[in-house]
Amino acid sequence: MDKFVASFPSPCPDEALVNRVQMLMRQELAPGQSVYVERGQVAGYVLALTAASVPLFLFVNYLYFLLLQSLGTLLAPPIAHSFVAVFLILGTLTGALCYGSIPIWTAYWLKERGGQ
Amino acid sequence: MQDEELMMRLAHGDAGAADLLVARYKNMLFAFLYRLTTNRSDAEDLFQETWLRVVRYRHTYRAPKKFSTWLFQIAVNCTRDFYKSTVKAKTLDGESALLSTEDGRHLEDRELTAMLMRQLPLPQREVIMLRYFHDMKETEIADLLEIPLGTVKSRLHKSLLYLKAHYGDEYARTLDG
């Protein structure tokens, strides 16, 4: 194979090409360019936002709980308390997760599409 | 300064580290892309795109992996994307970008070699390039291309059989020298 390899020499890149590439790389590195975010980091942001929004949703759902408790007590007293407690917990977590994850994943997906 | 340290600096936005990496690998990378495409214009476009991807995906580089392996992986992916988006999918058409030479006999071998490479499908061209022009071991090629070792061996074997079958005596004359 030596002759085969020797018959196909390797040219060097032009200096102009190298300079242009280095300039473009500097532009990519300039502040303000989009930052690459790994999927793991996105998941981290989602969890952080979810955790941060839990207190807010807890408060909103507490008010909702008071309303439902009144209605439950009025319409079906035996199951009113446990039903509302479960609803409160699930609703808070689900709401926080959805409100946290939807905009972040949408933005990430749009960036992935636009960057290719 | 080692490549891993330069990449760490690049990850923090150090443009000087980028310049050093380009200076260090420009010839090796360009040679690989030129031989893969046998076209200088395409090689230049891919050279630029490869380095831009190095910057864009600098945060995905993980130190235990050799930088040269990661760089070549990006180059291979760039080349594959390029041929997916053009009609030059498996074999190349178009003009040869051969260099001129004073030695007429050497030019003939060069033309033949370029023609042989152009006829090979891209996956096989990749392994031939890495194995014989960049002296990579088959295990290194498998790691770089993220394919099984058996696939590397199979592609090498098929490439050599293909070349021998299609170009017979001329192929033998070129390779057995």
Side-chain angles (χ1 to χ4, degrees):
Chain A
M1 287 294 283
D2 289 345
K3 191 175 178 185
F4 181 75
V5 172
S7 66
F8 206 179
S10 58
C12 293
D14 293 333
E15 273 311 303
L17 169 66
V18 175
N19 292 336
R20 184 172 75 241
V21 165
Q22 288 175 327
M23 182 196 69
L24 290 170
M25 289 171 80
R26 283 176 182 273
Q27 287 177 356
E28 282 284 328
L29 285 167
Q33 295 292 329
S34 60
V35 178
Y36 178 79
V37 179
E38 290 186 49
R39 287 181 184 271
Q41 283 182 303
V42 174
Y45 293 140
V46 167
L47 284 173
L49 194 60
T50 303
S53 59
V54 164
L56 172 65
F57 282 103
L58 200 60
F59 176 70
V60 170
N61 281 298
Y62 177 68
L63 298 176
Y64 197 24
F65 160 74
L66 290 177
L67 175 66
L68 285 179
Q69 186 184 39
S70 307
L71 287 172
T73 306
L74 190 67
L75 299 173
I79 64 165
H81 183 71
S82 58
F83 167 79
V84 174
V86 169
F87 175 85
L88 181 68
I89 292 168
L90 287 178
T92 301
L93 287 175
T94 304
L97 205 63
C98 289
Y99 276 97
S101 63
I102 289 174
I104 290 179
W105 279 111
T106 304
Y108 180 81
W109 176 74
L110 286 172
K111 184 185 179 305
E112 283 278 279
R113 281 194 65 191
Q116 289 176 0
Chain B
M1 198 177 298
Q2 300 217 336
D3 295 339
E4 291 73 26
E5 192 179 337
L6 286 173
M7 275 306 297
M8 204 164 57
R9 291 187 174 205
L10 181 61
H12 286 89
D14 185 348
D19 290 345
L20 281 173
L21 285 169
V22 171
R24 198 174 282 184
Y25 286 97
K26 62 181 181 181
N27 291 338
M28 188 191 302
L29 177 64
F30 191 80
F32 174 71
L33 291 169
Y34 174 78
R35 287 170 175 149
L36 207 55
T37 60
T38 69
N39 180 296
R40 188 171 189 114
S41 173
D42 290 346
E44 288 179 349
D45 291 342
L46 290 169
F47 181 83
Q48 178 176 305
E49 181 59 25
T50 299
W51 283 113
L52 288 178
R53 287 193 189 187
V54 164
V55 172
R56 283 182 200 138
Y57 298 108
R58 60 192 185 274
H59 297 291
T60 68
Y61 172 72
R62 294 291 175 260
K65 177 176 273 189
K66 280 173 63 178
F67 172 75
S68 57
T69 302
W70 187 70
L71 177 66
F72 272 62
Q73 278 180 328
I74 293 176
V76 164
N77 289 334
C78 278
T79 310
R80 290 175 182 172
D81 292 344
F82 175 75
Y83 286 121
K84 274 184 204 167
S85 64
T86 65
V87 194
K88 299 180 183 181
K90 289 190 174 178
T91 57
L92 288 175
D93 297 317
E95 78 285 1
S96 164
L98 298 169
L99 300 173
S100 61
T101 179
E102 312 81 13
D103 186 348
R105 185 179 57 186
H106 200 54
L107 182 60
E108 188 184 316
D109 287 341
R110 189 176 300 168
E111 284 178 335
L112 178 63
T113 305
M115 185 177 67
L116 296 177
M117 295 311 298
R118 277 197 296 272
Q119 293 301 314
L120 273 179
L122 186 60
Q124 291 170 14
R125 213 181 307 149
E126 289 168 356
V127 293
I128 285 276
M129 283 298 146
L130 292 170
R131 175 69 184 86
Y132 294 110
F133 291 89
H134 293 273
D135 295 322
M136 283 195 181
K137 297 175 189 171
E138 290 171 358
T139 49
E140 290 175 325
I141 297 172
D143 181 47
L144 190 152
L145 297 177
E146 295 179 331
I147 55 177
L149 180 60
T151 305
V152 172
K153 291 178 187 281
S154 167
R155 286 182 187 175
L156 277 173
H157 181 65
K158 281 183 187 173
S159 303
L160 295 174
L161 284 179
Y162 180 93
L163 294 171
K164 199 169 184 178
H166 281 74
Y167 297 102
D169 291 340
E170 288 221 62
Y171 167 81
R173 178 179 62 80
T174 305
L175 293 185
D176 296 342

